[in-house]
Amino acid sequence: MDRKGILIVVSGFSGSGKGTLMKELLSRYPDTYALSISATTRKPREGEEDGREYFFISKDEFEKMIAKGELIEYAKYVENYYGTPRAYVEQKLKEGKDVILEIEIQGALKVRKSFPGTLLLFVTPPSAQELKARLVGRGTETMDVIRSRMDRACEEAEGMDSYDYLIVNDNLDSCVEELHEIIQGEHHRSFRNKAFMKDIREDLKRLKGED
Ligand code: ADP
Ligand code: 5GP
């Protein structure tokens, strides 16, 4: 059976561990998944590299990409623009990869509108206290930024019901496997296998007529 790639959106509170989870998923199953790299106007954090975590671009460049239709979606998040470049996603889906977009909720809902079969996953830590501890523990932001990310988390928590699955990132190892199983299970949904069903129906009729 031809394997068609699934478009997957992974959202979750900043600090919930999405980045860590994705890195682990990709390293365990490099042939199955492709992770889209977003463009952003935010400044790189220490250790981040242009073209690896994000394409770090100026506001001008970002606006040009919007104008040329080169982004599937974009959103403003805590004063910066973030967007998903179209070309890579379309290419990888064509190759049969499951393509993951790690984006926030406004973008997630826009993607589902333009790509109706999109699978929406929401990652959360086991508790609010744990979220704050992870944000502080990561040590990449000032207390001010952490506060605005906690505010944003309150807003985002209201949108969790729009997602297909809730992924609780408690133990990293088991969470990665859970994610993989959910996504791979999704391939068996009947609406994703219309071509197969059509073929087998036709073959059954043909076979029936042969005797
Ligand atoms: P996000 O990409 O969602 O903003 P990160 O992947 O940067 O989050 O994770 C935030 C912090 O939490 C990091 O310091 C990371 O090492 C830690 N972390 C991620 N997953 C877990 C986990 N399952 N248990 C404990 N700490 C975790
Ligand atoms: P961070 O600055 O912590 O890397 O990302 C902030 C938020 O922006 C996260 O919720 C992340 O998922 C989201 N994000 C990253 N890339 C994109 C994108 O291309 N589009 C949208 N809509 N959100 C994104």
Side-chain angles (χ1 to χ4, degrees):
M1 202 195 307
D2 267 357
R3 192 189 144 99
K4 252 179 140 181
I6 296 179
L7 187 56
I8 302 141
V9 165
V10 175
S11 303
F13 313 124
S14 177
S16 60
K18 302 177 299 292
T20 312
L21 273 173
M22 291 311 112
K23 220 167 147 191
E24 193 53 36
L25 187 70
L26 267 287
S27 87
R28 286 189 201 177
Y29 306 101
D31 299 331
T32 308
Y33 299 106
L35 184 65
S36 157
I37 302 171
S38 296
T40 183
T41 59
R42 109 155 142 64
K43 298 276 164 288
R45 294 188 187 120
E46 193 150 325
E48 286 183 333
E49 253 177 50
D50 186 41
R52 192 179 65 192
E53 281 79 11
Y54 284 104
F55 296 108
F56 295 99
I57 62 177
S58 67
K59 194 162 169 251
D60 255 17
E61 290 170 305
F62 198 96
E63 282 165 355
K64 273 190 195 132
M65 288 185 85
I66 298 175
K68 288 195 207 151
E70 289 173 359
L71 299 173
I72 288 178
E73 61 73 40
Y74 66 94
K76 207 168 188 190
Y77 179 95
V78 192
E79 300 306 307
N80 285 299
Y81 281 119
Y82 294 81
T84 306
R86 179 182 303 279
Y88 178 86
V89 171
E90 293 185 345
Q91 174 61 32
K92 292 293 162 184
L93 283 175
K94 221 187 274 168
E95 289 171 17
K97 303 264 189 197
D98 293 335
V99 180
I100 302 178
L101 313 182
E102 200 196 307
I103 65 179
E104 52 65 72
I105 184 163
Q106 301 167 46
L109 300 178
K110 283 186 218 158
V111 171
R112 183 156 62 185
K113 268 207 176 138
S114 358
F115 296 81
T118 305
L119 178 65
L120 262 57
L121 311 177
F122 194 93
V123 177
T124 166
S127 68
Q129 288 92 321
E130 177 65 15
L131 179 63
K132 193 161 184 196
R134 285 186 194 171
L135 277 172
V136 173
R138 186 166 68 185
T140 48
E141 269 99 6
T142 60
M143 269 328 277
D144 256 8
V145 174
I146 290 177
R147 240 171 263 128
S148 56
R149 286 184 180 230
M150 290 298 288
D151 283 350
R152 177 74 187 221
C154 279
E155 291 166 29
E156 287 184 338
E158 296 302 318
M160 289 188 285
D161 314 70
S162 310
Y163 286 74
D164 298 309
Y165 290 89
L166 196 67
I167 313 285
V168 180
N169 176 21
D170 192 350
N171 175 281
L172 184 69
D173 187 55
S174 46
C175 193
V176 172
E177 288 314 312
E178 215 175 279
L179 250 176
H180 180 63
E181 280 165 24
I182 287 172
I183 298 168
Q184 295 320 305
E186 192 62 26
H187 279 278
H188 302 283
R189 299 282 297 273
S190 55
F191 80 88
R192 297 191 191 279
N193 293 285
K194 291 219 167 105
F196 176 87
M197 293 191 293
K198 180 172 173 279
D199 287 351
I200 202 161
R201 273 187 194 120
E202 285 169 7
D203 286 352
L204 281 166
K205 279 184 195 145
R206 205 170 307 123
L207 263 183
K208 194 176 74 167
E210 275 175 13
D211 290 329

XYZ file of all heavy atoms in Angstrom, residues 12-21 45 102 123 126 130-131 133-135 137-140 149 169-173 175, ligand 1:
248
model
N 1.745 23.073 22.442
C 1.845 22.844 23.882
C 2.465 24.068 24.505
O 3.102 24.858 23.811
N 2.299 24.186 25.804
C 2.853 25.340 26.490
C 4.354 25.411 26.268
O 5.016 24.366 26.218
C 2.593 25.230 27.994
C 1.170 24.852 28.323
C 0.898 23.729 29.102
C 0.115 25.611 27.847
C -0.403 23.368 29.406
C -1.196 25.264 28.142
C -1.451 24.145 28.925
N 4.859 26.618 26.147
C 6.298 26.782 26.077
C 6.880 26.198 27.370
O 6.399 26.510 28.460
C 6.617 28.282 25.962
O 8.008 28.473 25.951
N 7.838 25.312 27.259
C 8.423 24.676 28.437
C 7.813 23.312 28.738
O 8.237 22.618 29.658
N 6.816 22.882 27.946
C 6.182 21.584 28.218
C 7.075 20.422 27.781
O 6.856 19.286 28.178
C 4.825 21.491 27.507
O 5.011 21.625 26.115
N 8.064 20.750 26.942
C 8.995 19.703 26.518
C 8.808 19.262 25.070
O 9.349 18.234 24.665
N 8.088 20.070 24.274
C 7.841 19.704 22.869
C 9.150 19.516 22.109
O 9.327 18.532 21.408
C 7.065 20.804 22.123
C 5.744 21.169 22.686
C 5.129 22.310 21.903
C 5.947 23.585 21.909
N 6.053 24.272 23.190
N 10.041 20.487 22.265
C 11.304 20.439 21.527
C 12.089 19.181 21.867
O 12.595 18.476 20.980
N 12.160 18.885 23.162
C 12.896 17.712 23.633
C 12.264 16.437 23.069
O 12.958 15.537 22.582
C 12.869 17.660 25.186
O 13.228 18.954 25.680
C 13.794 16.619 25.734
N 10.932 16.379 23.127
C 10.206 15.202 22.615
C 10.446 14.997 21.124
O 10.687 13.874 20.670
C 8.699 15.415 22.805
C 8.070 15.004 24.117
C 6.613 15.471 24.149
C 8.120 13.484 24.275
N 18.363 31.876 20.700
C 18.818 31.666 22.086
C 20.213 31.077 22.022
O 20.630 30.554 20.989
C 17.926 30.645 22.795
C 16.536 31.099 22.987
C 15.764 30.097 23.887
N 14.368 30.472 23.937
C 13.354 29.701 23.537
N 13.597 28.484 23.080
N 12.120 30.118 23.613
N 5.881 22.079 14.774
C 5.805 22.380 16.204
C 5.406 23.844 16.320
O 6.255 24.730 16.295
C 7.206 22.142 16.775
C 7.230 21.943 18.251
C 8.646 22.107 18.773
O 9.558 21.442 18.246
O 8.818 22.926 19.690
N 0.786 18.938 23.749
C 1.693 18.423 24.783
C 1.590 19.273 26.050
O 1.652 20.500 25.994
C 3.165 18.458 24.292
C 4.117 17.987 25.389
C 3.331 17.613 23.040
N 2.896 17.320 33.414
C 1.873 16.741 34.297
C 1.177 17.776 35.190
O 0.072 17.509 35.660
C 2.645 15.721 35.146
C 4.092 15.952 34.886
C 4.228 16.718 33.618
N 5.020 22.006 37.475
C 6.100 21.395 36.697
C 6.431 22.261 35.478
O 7.598 22.373 35.104
C 5.700 19.970 36.288
C 6.702 19.233 35.419
C 8.057 18.916 36.065
O 8.178 19.014 37.297
O 8.994 18.578 35.293
N 5.432 22.902 34.901
C 5.689 23.777 33.741
C 6.622 24.913 34.166
O 7.627 25.194 33.502
C 4.385 24.360 33.185
C 4.589 25.306 31.999
C 5.195 24.572 30.799
C 3.278 25.971 31.580
N 8.603 25.036 36.703
C 9.928 24.489 37.060
C 10.756 24.231 35.801
O 11.962 24.502 35.769
C 9.756 23.203 37.865
N 10.113 23.743 34.727
C 10.869 23.455 33.494
C 11.318 24.745 32.812
O 12.424 24.822 32.287
C 10.027 22.602 32.532
C 9.950 21.168 33.004
C 9.238 20.262 32.008
N 8.908 18.993 32.636
C 8.153 18.065 32.092
N 7.625 18.256 30.896
N 7.909 16.940 32.730
N 10.431 25.754 32.840
C 10.807 27.032 32.212
C 11.981 27.662 32.952
O 12.928 28.155 32.337
C 9.620 28.000 32.221
C 8.607 27.838 31.094
C 7.392 28.729 31.329
C 9.238 28.157 29.738
N 14.065 26.037 34.949
C 15.189 25.092 34.847
C 15.912 25.187 33.509
O 17.120 24.983 33.440
N 15.172 25.508 32.440
C 15.800 25.593 31.118
C 16.810 26.724 31.086
O 17.809 26.658 30.375
C 14.714 25.789 30.049
C 15.251 25.740 28.648
C 14.139 25.605 27.632
N 13.308 26.804 27.564
C 12.211 26.908 26.811
N 11.818 25.899 26.091
N 11.519 28.023 26.795
N 16.538 27.758 31.870
C 17.514 28.842 32.046
C 17.763 29.669 30.800
O 18.804 30.309 30.668
N 16.811 29.686 29.859
C 17.044 30.431 28.615
C 16.328 31.777 28.595
O 16.555 32.571 27.704
C 16.569 29.614 27.385
O 15.263 29.115 27.647
C 17.512 28.459 27.097
N 5.254 33.955 29.277
C 4.966 32.614 28.738
C 3.946 31.872 29.613
O 3.136 31.110 29.101
C 6.259 31.827 28.576
C 6.991 32.387 27.371
C 8.239 31.731 26.957
N 8.708 32.471 25.783
C 9.069 31.935 24.636
N 9.074 30.649 24.481
N 9.447 32.693 23.629
N 3.518 14.870 28.990
C 4.955 14.591 28.975
C 5.491 14.527 30.407
O 5.988 15.512 30.941
C 5.685 15.669 28.170
C 7.196 15.492 28.198
O 7.704 14.404 28.466
N 7.917 16.566 27.914
N 5.334 13.330 30.997
C 5.843 13.119 32.351
C 7.185 12.416 32.212
O 8.236 13.036 32.324
C 4.814 12.285 33.131
C 5.108 12.273 34.619
O 6.189 12.743 35.003
O 4.264 11.772 35.385
N 7.137 11.118 31.883
C 8.373 10.402 31.617
C 8.696 10.515 30.124
O 7.902 10.098 29.280
C 8.199 8.932 32.026
C 9.421 8.122 31.658
O 9.602 7.743 30.509
N 10.266 7.890 32.634
N 9.851 11.103 29.828
C 10.195 11.405 28.434
C 10.183 10.159 27.542
O 9.579 10.149 26.468
C 11.564 12.087 28.381
C 12.013 12.538 26.999
C 11.179 13.700 26.501
C 13.482 12.908 26.999
N 10.815 9.107 28.035
C 10.968 7.892 27.251
C 9.615 7.291 26.847
O 9.367 7.009 25.680
C 11.787 6.900 28.092
C 12.130 5.680 27.278
O 12.722 5.867 26.205
O 11.772 4.571 27.707
N 6.768 8.782 26.879
C 5.986 9.755 26.116
C 6.343 9.712 24.627
O 5.469 9.820 23.768
C 6.233 11.147 26.698
S 5.055 12.336 26.097
P 9.368 23.465 24.716
O 10.038 23.093 23.420
O 7.997 22.891 24.847
O 9.392 24.928 25.008
P 11.697 22.173 25.955
O 11.829 20.943 25.125
O 12.693 23.277 25.737
O 10.195 22.750 25.892
O 11.733 21.690 27.485
C 11.705 22.618 28.565
C 12.612 22.112 29.684
O 12.033 20.926 30.268
C 14.007 21.695 29.191
O 14.965 22.105 30.150
C 13.904 20.174 29.079
O 15.170 19.557 29.291
C 12.942 19.821 30.208
N 12.124 18.617 29.920
C 11.554 18.233 28.747
N 10.879 17.065 28.883
C 10.995 16.701 30.170
C 10.501 15.579 30.944
N 9.731 14.627 30.417
N 10.822 15.537 32.255
C 11.588 16.502 32.812
N 12.089 17.590 32.152
C 11.788 17.698 30.843
